Amino acid sequence: MLILECPYCGVKAEETELTPGYEAHLKRFGPGSSDTEFEDYMFARKNPKGVHFERWRHVYGCGKWFLAARDTNTLEVFGTYPAQSSAPPADLQDKIKAKRPDWKGYK
Amino acid sequence: MKRYSVFAIAKQALNYHLGWERAWAAPAPKKAYDVIIVGAGGHGLATAYYLGKNFGITNVAIIEKGWLGGGNTGRNTTIIRSNYLQDPSAAIYEKARSLYETMSQDLNYNVMFSPRGLLMLGQTHHEVRGYLRTVHANNMQGVATEWISPKRVKELVPIINIDGPRYPILGALYQARGGTARHDAVAWGYARACSDMGMDIIQQCEVKGVTSEAGVVTGVESTKGFIGCKKLGVVVAGHSGQVAEMAGFRLPVEAVALQAMVSEPIKPCMDVVVMANTVHGYMSQSDKGEMVIGGGTDGFNNFTQRGSFHHIEETLRALIETFPMISRLKMLRQWGGIVDMTGDRSPIISKTPLGNCFINCGWGTGGFKAIPGSGWAMAELMAKGEPGALAEAFNMWRFKEGQFIDESVAAGVAH
């Protein structure tokens, strides 16, 4: 069972307490953007077999959205961080890099 | 290939059944083929079969990283139906269902197609309105479905509880010629027929890269070396995104786990397939007597072929109210498969940005029922280089143009 620590209330929550929200750090495109940008924003997802960054909501807890770094191939969780982050924290990125040397970075 | 028949069984019986030949050959890869299909699951093998049968293209290799039929073809709940809302979906799923009707004869292989009838329960007023709309659409599309009353549901499924209290049965969408088939046999039957046409099925051979020249595919790098081809068909379900990346393009798919389970075998108690979409559960009884039960997908990306544990309880809890008699059944086995979900929950059968490279993916949670229709449409696309009527609407550019085939609303979760 997937267990994520909510970065706000510190609860180690298992997945029945959480709602998944798919890919994190999406750049939003709206009116005025090109067709390709809008299509990418709406439908093209990273879907990596390996390190992935996701949105989760602690729905049966503090109710807040947060972000998590996880390996989709092993279900290992690297860490969680607040939803207000525009990029994964540097120490988390270092930790992932140490564990997955061939990881190409979050971009 | 020696035909299977009652006479063959009688002849082999005299010889202690030692004379049966292998169902398909296990050749080493040649240097090059006219067509390479990546993925020897149902869809890949069906594509190869119809390339040979409908278009006479038999210089074909089907390469598979595991064993044939070992992915989602062997991991589903074997349900076959075609009661879809949108015209392009109804067309391809009904084509598939009609091909299942004669598949055992066509392949000379018993796929145990059992058109036992399929019910989709209406358990909320919303659902009733949705299914009435689907029945009307199906009547226009030439797909035989009808709306039946709770009383008729109870007659067809004596073990069902129609009174609720949470989710009473308000009626059901009934497709009398829906049903099930033996999933492994579908892959094995196609494999045997492909091998008989001279095609090479190469198992334990993983694709590591796709090579191209001037924007046109030239072959694949695999764990058994380079294999050249003039046309490439990618039919790999859960790993479509990974193979597409090797070919240099992106797909609008995400891979998630979908799981199913079977109970201990019990005496015959339900001779139809029942789907309860409001509570996310569907159930049928196998010929061995096991209750075959499926639920919804997990909500996060996953490549482990292992679903979330709590979904087992959720699925069973939901079904127990509708089928009180299963409450004391022990679950025997549980398994997961990796399904590739698109934005509109409809598949992709399409040309790609790479020349002579074609993709068939995105079947999500509903691939098994579509196998023959999908192979039929994909073979036409690969042979002619342009999609036919069945595949046209399923191109990968529909997301850019906003021309969705929106079954995520129409079919709910149990797709």
Side-chain angles (χ1 to χ4, degrees), chain B residues 19-40:
Chain B
W20 294 108
E21 60 182 8
R22 279 178 172 275
W24 52 83
K30 287 188 250 177
K31 281 203 173 66
Y33 295 87
D34 288 344
V35 172
I36 291 179
I37 307 285
V38 185

Side-chain angles (χ1 to χ4, degrees), chain A residues 28-101:
Chain A
R28 284 165 176 72
F29 289 93
S33 61
S34 73
D35 283 358
T36 308
E37 284 169 339
F38 191 64
E39 184 200 6
D40 280 1
Y41 160 54
M42 287 292 281
F43 297 106
R45 292 292 171 265
K46 286 213 177 80
N47 194 29
K49 187 174 182 176
V51 180
H52 195 34
F53 297 90
E54 292 171 322
R55 307 193 307 152
W56 287 83
R57 187 176 171 226
H58 191 189
V59 63
Y60 296 115
C62 65
K64 289 179 181 161
W65 283 99
F66 64 91
L67 307 179
R70 203 170 55 80
D71 189 321
T72 61
N73 200 30
T74 62
L75 300 188
E76 180 180 359
V77 178
F78 300 112
T80 57
Y81 51 102
Q84 288 77 12
S85 322
S86 56
D91 59 334
L92 180 60
Q93 292 201 45
D94 291 344
K95 186 178 162 190
I96 298 170
K97 196 80 195 160
K99 286 190 172 184
R100 300 283 186 277

Side-chain angles (χ1 to χ4, degrees), chain A residues 1-4 6 9-20 56-64 66, chain B residues 310 314:
Chain A
M1 184 160 277
L2 202 57
I3 295 172
L4 302 176
C6 174
C9 57
V11 170
K12 282 192 168 59
E14 49 109 326
E15 59 179 291
T16 59
E17 204 175 322
L18 305 164
T19 295
W56 287 83
R57 187 176 171 226
H58 191 189
V59 63
Y60 296 115
C62 65
K64 289 179 181 161
F66 64 91
Chain B
H310 66 93
E314 275 175 21

Side-chain angles (χ1 to χ4, degrees), chain B residues 358-407:
Chain B
F358 305 87
I359 188 130
N360 181 344
C361 70
W363 291 94
T365 62
F368 175 72
K369 69 173 88 72
I371 284 172
S374 158
W376 186 285
M378 182 71 172
E380 187 177 11
L381 170 65
M382 291 191 70
K384 295 180 179 170
E386 292 295 330
L390 278 180
E392 203 171 6
F394 295 104
N395 70 74
M396 65 184 278
W397 291 279
R398 69 177 186 270
F399 297 97
K400 190 173 201 164
E401 291 158 8
Q403 294 183 333
F404 312 122
I405 305 158
D406 195 353
E407 295 290 352

Side-chain angles (χ1 to χ4, degrees), chain B residues 110-237:
Chain B
N110 187 4
V111 302
M112 295 164 71
F113 176 58
S114 163
R116 57 183 67 180
L118 175 141
L119 292 90
M120 290 174 98
L121 302 177
Q123 293 182 288
T124 64
H125 289 287
H126 248 78
E127 220 175 5
V128 171
R129 279 198 290 268
Y131 286 151
L132 283 171
R133 185 182 174 207
T134 304
V135 169
H136 293 316
N138 289 160
N139 289 344
M140 306 277 279
Q141 292 151 346
V143 177
T145 63
E146 58 180 312
W147 177 255
I148 59 173
S149 68
K151 187 164 161 275
R152 178 102 170 89
V153 172
K154 183 74 181 170
E155 284 166 13
L156 286 166
V157 196
I159 65 167
I160 207 166
N161 164 32
I162 61 171
D163 299 325
R166 289 187 190 85
Y167 296 108
I169 310 299
L170 305 172
L173 191 168
Y174 181 45
Q175 183 170 24
R177 295 299 288 178
T180 62
R182 171 90 166 93
H183 51 1
D184 297 322
V186 173
W188 297 338
Y190 276 127
R192 178 167 168 264
C194 286
S195 187
D196 184 48
M197 285 190 278
M199 298 179 182
D200 287 354
I201 301 166
I202 303 154
Q203 303 182 68
Q204 310 270 297
C205 176
E206 184 177 353
V207 169
K208 291 289 187 188
V210 175
T211 57
S212 62
E213 212 176 281
V216 177
V217 70
T218 53
V220 296
E221 296 289 353
S222 78
T223 48
K224 294 192 177 177
F226 175 78
I227 313 173
C229 69
K230 291 175 188 153
K231 289 181 179 177
L232 179 68
V234 178
V235 197
V236 296

